[in-house]
Amino acid sequence: MTKHEEKTVEPRVAAIGDTSRLSPELRRAFDPAGDYEPMPDPGPSDWLANHPEKPQSYADWLNKDTNVPGPQRRIIYLLPIGEFPPSAPSLPALTKIVHAFFTLEVKVLPAVAVKDVPAKTRINPSTKKRQLLAPDVLRWLTKRVPDDAFALQAVTMEDLYPEPSWNFVFGMASLSERVGVQSFARQDPAFFGDAREAGWQNVALRRATWTMVHEISHMFGLTHCVYWKCVVAGSNHQAEADSRPLHPCPVCLRKLHAAIGFDPAAREEELAKVLRDVGIDDEAAWSEHRATWIRTGQPSENSKP
Ligand SMILES: [Zn+2]
Ligand SMILES: [Zn+2]
């Protein structure tokens, strides 16, 4: 590569880092190859217009002292807080998705009652519904991380807020303490008094998946992605979250790969199966297509999303 060409590499491609010494499969795994959309310029209410983020390239992440799973500490635990109606996003489905996404064992802990979680609450002025202060929940979670846990992600039907000046938050995680919490409350149209249209539970599962893999990715020291439309990018509102895919971009995938050490093609194949199984078909097709590309360097005939 000449000096001139080096200068014209897009920052989002440069952030992936040098892959020239990797195996052909790994090189393809981190090659965007037309399968990822660049992060669009934010609209006025979008995340990046309101929360400017310091970009974190793969090299930046490597230089940080981050938590990675070790032989004694590699289980992802999900902790239900409070009761869940039968219509809530399915924990068994989320368990399978998170297992396929991170390739780590996932276990669900016995549920804890909301009253046993020492978190400040308030009544949200616009919804008139109770909310828990998420940082209080995170602080409580740090004392409950099992010895063999890499990560502890709490899930609840209670609505959450991150600080008094904010309206709500879908979820929140600590980048250093390996804990996170997310709410399913806003994934039910009934929360807003709206009608539950056909297929709403599938949408709710997709949204719960987005928040769950997003928060758990933070626990590997990944900060919000600014490079591509990516599951690790920040999101200010539901429409913005819905416009994002459920998969990580090549920059974020490379960080997770370095932290966990999976086979990227096998990971996409397993993820595709699980996503088909739970009815998230567009992402399943994307993973099938991507697995074929990583294995063969040829785009697949049928599964192009
Ligand atoms: Zn986040
Ligand atoms: Zn990313």
Side-chain angles (χ1 to χ4, degrees):
M1 190 178 276
T2 68
K3 270 229 150 70
H4 175 73
E5 278 167 335
E6 243 163 38
K7 275 189 197 139
T8 58
V9 173
E10 296 261 13
R12 70 178 63 89
V13 175
I16 300 166
D18 180 13
T19 61
S20 62
R21 290 189 200 166
L22 302 179
S23 69
E25 273 208 21
L26 279 184
R27 271 208 306 271
R28 287 193 291 271
F30 308 132
D31 178 350
D35 291 329
Y36 300 87
E37 284 178 61
M39 177 71 82
D41 289 336
S45 64
D46 288 348
W47 182 268
L48 285 172
N50 296 279
H51 310 276
E53 302 267 7
K54 192 166 175 276
Q56 183 194 51
S57 68
Y58 173 65
D60 294 334
W61 177 85
L62 269 184
N63 287 331
K64 250 178 57 162
D65 188 18
T66 50
N67 292 306
V68 295
Q72 315 295 333
R73 216 179 65 176
R74 47 190 310 112
I75 298 173
I76 296 174
Y77 284 93
L78 305 182
L79 172 63
I81 296 176
E83 310 255 315
F84 292 79
S87 58
S90 149
L91 273 186
L94 287 163
T95 300
K96 282 198 284 179
I97 296 168
V98 170
H99 170 60
F101 187 98
F102 294 101
T103 71
L104 295 173
E105 189 180 350
V106 181
K107 290 184 182 172
V108 181
L109 291 166
V112 174
V114 178
K115 65 171 174 45
D116 294 332
V117 179
K120 224 174 265 137
T121 62
R122 73 172 183 189
I123 300 297
N124 180 290
S126 51
T127 64
K128 312 281 186 250
K129 292 197 160 92
R130 180 172 69 175
Q131 294 180 299
L132 303 185
L133 185 61
D136 282 357
V137 181
L138 293 182
R139 250 189 304 281
W140 171 77
L141 287 171
T142 57
K143 297 181 210 108
R144 303 178 67 93
V145 180
D147 286 343
D148 58 357
F150 173 70
L152 174 59
Q153 173 73 4
V155 293
T156 181
M157 292 305 297
E158 298 289 317
D159 198 26
L160 301 171
Y161 70 113
E163 53 176 278
S165 64
W166 284 46
N167 184 24
F168 77 98
V169 72
F170 293 123
M172 202 172 175
S174 162
L175 270 71
S176 55
E177 304 287 339
R178 299 177 288 127
V179 295
V181 60
Q182 76 183 96
S183 169
F184 295 160
R186 288 170 187 262
Q187 279 137 26
D188 186 341
F191 178 87
F192 303 98
D194 295 339
R196 289 167 162 176
E197 286 171 21
W200 77 272
Q201 281 177 287
N202 188 272
V203 176
L205 176 65
R206 184 193 189 91
R207 290 172 174 172
T209 298
W210 184 88
T211 307
M212 192 168 279
V213 298
H214 176 98
E215 301 307 340
I216 297 173
S217 295
H218 277 319
M219 299 181 211
F220 292 84
L222 276 66
T223 63
H224 282 145
C225 184
V226 300
Y227 299 112
W228 308 84
K229 281 195 167 185
C230 168
V231 75
V232 191
S235 171
N236 224 19
H237 51 88
Q238 193 65 67
E240 188 175 25
D242 287 347
S243 74
R244 300 275 162 70
L246 294 181
H247 48 262
C249 77
V251 181
C252 296
L253 181 71
R254 194 171 183 193
K255 296 171 191 173
L256 291 174
H257 174 263
I260 302 167
F262 43 73
D263 171 339
R267 173 183 170 276
E268 295 296 356
E269 283 161 356
E270 184 56 29
L271 200 47
K273 266 189 237 153
V274 170
L275 291 169
R276 277 272 177 234
D277 222 36
V278 301
I280 304 182
D281 290 326
D282 58 336
E283 287 284 341
W286 188 91
S287 285
E288 282 157 13
H289 162 77
R290 199 60 195 166
T292 305
W293 155 256
I294 295 170
R295 285 223 191 273
T296 66
Q298 303 292 323
S300 55
E301 295 276 306
N302 308 319
S303 60
K304 178 89 182 147

